[in-house]
Amino acid sequence: MIKKAVFVCGCIVSMVGAVFAQNPTIRIMPLGDSITYGASTPGGYRYPLYVALTNAGYNVDFVGTQNNNAATGLHDPDHQGHGGWKISSASNGLYENILGWFSAISDPHVVLLHIGTNDTGDGPTTFATAIDRWDLLIERIAKYHPSAHIIATTLMKRGTPQYTYITNSFNPYVPSRIAAHQ
């Protein structure tokens, strides 16, 4: 049973603020696909999160083996975002690579997980099991770093037919999977 998993519908800043006192260094691992990498927006969500946390007085240290695609003004570009990657895949899966990345970085206090969007391209039959692979990834992260807080979220909506896959086969199951880990 995973003790520290959190489902995020809204603001990550609130959760981090509730977990950590002001001013200690908080090591955060942004983990995911091109949304984490910031394919269409340099730095992706990492820049506004960094600004929000540092403006609130937190000492943030993003960790990861990647440090490319930083937004202007993002003083800490480290992340683990990989464009086109999937939850689990022999050549480009987070599940298969996460332990190596953890070995190469400082232990994260928080892991921000957004993955699964690229799994929709495999069609409804394969995508129907994506939530199970996502669940196994969370278990692997928690087993390797039991003190880390895992913040996982639903997938962003996409165009047809991916939108249907996400809304029917993945997002509805996220809250109950997270609840089972808490």
Side-chain angles (χ1 to χ4, degrees):
M1 171 77 61
I2 298 170
K3 296 177 184 172
K4 296 181 182 173
V6 177
F7 174 67
V8 175
C9 290
C11 186
I12 293 170
V13 176
S14 299
M15 185 277 178
V16 172
V19 174
F20 296 98
Q22 293 257 329
N23 297 324
T25 298
I26 303 168
R27 288 186 305 276
I28 301 172
M29 179 187 213
L31 174 64
D33 53 26
S34 60
I35 294 165
T36 300
Y37 172 78
S40 60
T41 303
Y45 68 80
R46 295 176 284 121
Y47 178 69
L49 176 62
Y50 184 84
V51 169
L53 290 172
T54 56
N55 284 348
Y58 294 98
N59 184 10
V60 176
D61 178 17
F62 284 149
V63 296
T65 65
Q66 305 294 303
N67 60 14
N68 50 356
N69 197 35
T72 302
L74 179 56
H75 303 289
D76 187 352
D78 298 330
H79 64 92
Q80 207 60 57
H82 299 273
W85 281 48
K86 299 179 180 184
I87 299 165
S88 179
S89 173
S91 60
N92 60 352
L94 297 188
Y95 181 88
E96 290 79 10
N97 289 280
I98 190 68
L99 299 183
W101 296 327
F102 277 150
S103 296
I105 64 169
S106 298
D107 293 348
H109 297 119
V110 177
V111 177
L112 303 178
L113 180 63
H114 185 279
I115 189 68
T117 302
N118 295 312
D119 294 76
T120 61
D122 295 334
T125 304
T126 304
F127 189 65
T129 61
I131 193 70
D132 297 326
R133 293 190 302 278
W134 182 82
D135 204 32
L136 291 172
L137 174 60
I138 290 174
E139 287 179 11
R140 179 170 268 196
I141 293 167
K143 183 176 181 181
Y144 197 81
H145 280 300
S147 64
H149 296 270
I150 301 167
I151 300 175
T153 188
T154 56
L155 300 177
M156 287 195 262
K157 297 174 183 177
R158 294 176 66 181
T160 305
Q162 289 87 352
Y163 175 76
T164 302
Y165 300 160
I166 289 170
T167 56
N168 294 340
S169 301
F170 194 88
N171 284 351
Y173 300 99
V174 169
S176 62
R177 295 295 178 107
I178 292 297
H181 286 293
Q182 290 178 324

